[in-house]
Amino acid sequence: MKYMSINEFAEKFNVSRQTLIYYDKVGLFKPEYVDINNGYRYYSYNQFSQFSFIKFLRNLDFSIVKIKKMLEEDDVELIKKDLDKKRNEIIEESRRLIDLSSIIDSKLDFIETKNNEAKSNIFNIVEIPKRYYYSLGYEDNIYNNNLFFNYPTIVIYTYKKDKESYNKIFGALVSKEDIREEYRNYLKEIQISKSLVSYFKGPYNQIPNYIKKISGKFDKLKLNKDFVCLNIVDPFLEKNPQKYITEIQIPINS
């Protein structure tokens, strides 16, 4: 019988020599013959089918422990069940990746659109349609929630007259078309409003002072004390707080 060296066998399957040595050590795939004098490993063509199957399973991300078990059981029906389960996992993962791709597209479209608006507008009075968001609560609660990372951030500022400061509730802005049933319990609405819209460049902690200036400048508009912010250029995109860009929507009282 003609044997191949470990290097020749590794080259045939485009794997490393170290991989074959490791598979031998853990008992997953052993050489056909080992020279007792020098310890060299040799493989035969008869092993091609088994190693092809092992490589196939590894490409499907089966663990070495699982593959060993499958080979030891040598049961076609059990292998079919394992492959069927893996197929379903792959389908589920592909759906997740497609969802993530869609989320990235939405975020990029949002950033581009709002950035262009921020460049061309200073102050505008706008009839803003109903907005939808998944409520994330206060700032301390948002960083362990994937919704915060997956959608544009909306912040609802509620004025506290007794302390002359604001409560801030954070949310994940979502279009009506993208509302998902699994997040329905988090869903909140902001009704249609005629608002003064402007864009602020700088740190978030300076927004209340900016609001004071706007309120003084547009005192005849009867601006609401509460307002809404949309984060456009935020810490996800920019390290320097002086370069943050925020859209500010201040409802006008009728």
Side-chain angles (χ1 to χ4, degrees):
M1 180 180 293
K2 184 178 179 181
Y3 291 108
M4 286 172 281
S5 69
I6 189 170
N7 289 335
E8 290 172 327
F9 193 87
E11 186 177 357
K12 287 282 186 185
F13 286 92
N14 194 28
V15 298
S16 69
R17 181 174 179 275
Q18 288 72 23
T19 295
L20 291 172
I21 292 173
Y22 178 69
Y23 285 0
D24 182 15
K25 288 181 178 179
V26 299
L28 176 63
F29 184 76
K30 291 189 168 295
E32 185 89 3
Y33 164 69
V34 178
D35 192 315
I36 59 173
N37 296 313
N38 54 31
Y40 288 174
R41 297 170 172 84
Y42 294 94
Y43 300 82
S44 75
Y45 285 98
N46 294 336
Q47 295 180 283
F48 276 26
S49 295
Q50 187 182 51
F51 193 79
S52 296
F53 185 56
I54 289 172
K55 188 174 181 181
F56 168 69
L57 295 177
R58 287 297 286 152
N59 287 340
L60 293 178
D61 207 27
F62 280 98
S63 70
I64 288 175
V65 172
K66 179 63 178 176
I67 295 173
K68 282 183 66 178
K69 184 178 179 182
M70 293 167 73
L71 294 175
E72 288 167 0
E73 290 173 342
D74 194 23
D75 187 314
V76 173
E77 292 304 315
L78 290 177
I79 290 174
K80 285 169 60 179
K81 287 181 180 179
D82 287 330
L83 289 175
D84 186 58
K85 181 181 178 182
K86 178 61 68 173
R87 179 192 60 189
N88 292 334
E89 290 174 358
I90 291 171
I91 291 172
E92 188 62 32
E93 177 65 7
S94 68
R95 288 172 180 162
R96 187 185 73 84
L97 293 174
I98 289 171
D99 284 346
L100 285 177
S101 176
S102 176
I103 287 168
I104 291 170
D105 286 343
S106 296
K107 290 198 76 166
L108 290 174
D109 287 344
F110 172 83
I111 292 167
E112 183 176 0
T113 300
K114 291 298 182 181
N115 250 335
N116 290 334
E117 291 176 4
K119 292 175 184 177
S120 59
N121 294 307
I122 300 176
F123 295 100
N124 275 317
I125 295 176
V126 180
E127 189 80 20
I128 301 178
K130 185 184 293 187
R131 286 142 289 174
Y132 300 89
Y133 68 95
Y134 300 124
S135 181
L136 305 177
Y138 296 105
E139 188 169 9
D140 291 344
N141 304 325
I142 63 179
Y143 299 105
N144 61 354
N145 193 321
N146 284 336
L147 291 172
F148 172 66
F149 300 101
N150 291 345
Y151 295 91
T153 301
I154 185 170
V155 188
I156 296 88
Y157 284 72
T158 305
Y159 184 67
K160 297 188 296 181
K161 185 177 180 180
D162 57 330
K163 295 183 179 179
E164 293 188 351
S165 61
Y166 293 91
N167 275 332
K168 293 190 293 183
I169 297 296
F170 288 75
L173 186 68
V174 61
S175 66
K176 185 177 181 180
E177 295 74 25
D178 291 333
I179 292 171
R180 303 192 179 194
E181 195 59 40
E182 62 263 39
Y183 302 132
R184 182 71 65 171
N185 292 337
Y186 297 97
L187 189 65
K188 302 289 183 182
E189 298 178 2
I190 302 176
Q191 296 303 316
I192 297 171
S193 66
K194 187 176 182 180
S195 299
L196 178 68
V197 176
S198 66
Y199 296 88
F200 174 72
K201 186 174 183 179
Y204 298 135
N205 61 10
Q206 292 181 12
I207 288 177
N209 290 331
Y210 178 71
I211 294 296
K212 284 182 181 179
K213 292 179 182 179
I214 294 177
S215 299
K217 185 175 182 178
F218 296 92
D219 57 328
K220 294 181 181 179
L221 286 181
K222 298 180 181 179
L223 297 175
N224 200 310
K225 289 286 188 179
D226 302 337
F227 61 94
V228 173
C229 285
L230 302 181
N231 294 356
I232 302 170
V233 175
D234 57 17
F236 292 106
L237 302 172
E238 177 58 59
K239 292 181 180 179
N240 185 356
Q242 297 297 332
K243 295 182 179 180
Y244 294 169
I245 298 176
T246 305
E247 179 180 315
I248 298 177
Q249 304 171 354
I250 311 175
I252 298 172
N253 297 322
S254 56

